Amino acid sequence: MIRASIISPLLLAACVQAPQTSRAPFTPDYEGVETRLLDGDLVQFHVAMTGARNGADLDNYAECAAAQYALIRGYGFARHVRTKMKQEGGNQTADAVYTISPSLPRGLRTIDAEVVVADCEANGIPTV
């Protein structure tokens, strides 16, 4: 009797249909990065793209730019400070600020520049 009560909910769960999700292809157009050194190790990145699925795609683009910039300047790490995103029609832009440093900085959103750049290249996301 105990087995029947356990099996019945499992059988009913199997009958529930999975939600339908859109399988539209992801075709981003990365429109460029503008970089500005604000003060010492504080760097601002303006990125623009179309075709982003959500804010995470734009955030990833900015992170890729920050990681490559850190490597270009001879640093191995960066830390995210803030990002402001805006969408106008199909155009999405982000104004992101990162600190760059030779050693792993304090904070929650730190990135290892070499690892991130390799990941960006593997996923077809351009860097600076």
Side-chain angles (χ1 to χ4, degrees), residues 5 43 52 56 96:
S5 65
V43 186

Side-chain angles (χ1 to χ4, degrees), residues 4-20:
S5 65
I6 293 173
I7 294 173
S8 295
L10 293 175
L11 289 175
L12 289 175
C15 295
V16 176
Q17 288 186 341
Q20 296 291 328

Side-chain angles (χ1 to χ4, degrees), residues 82-101:
R82 65 124 176 103
T83 300
K84 295 179 182 178
M85 294 186 192
K86 186 167 80 171
Q87 181 173 349
E88 292 180 9
N91 297 322
Q92 292 126 331
T93 60
D95 171 9
V97 176
Y98 286 81
T99 60
I100 56 173
S101 64

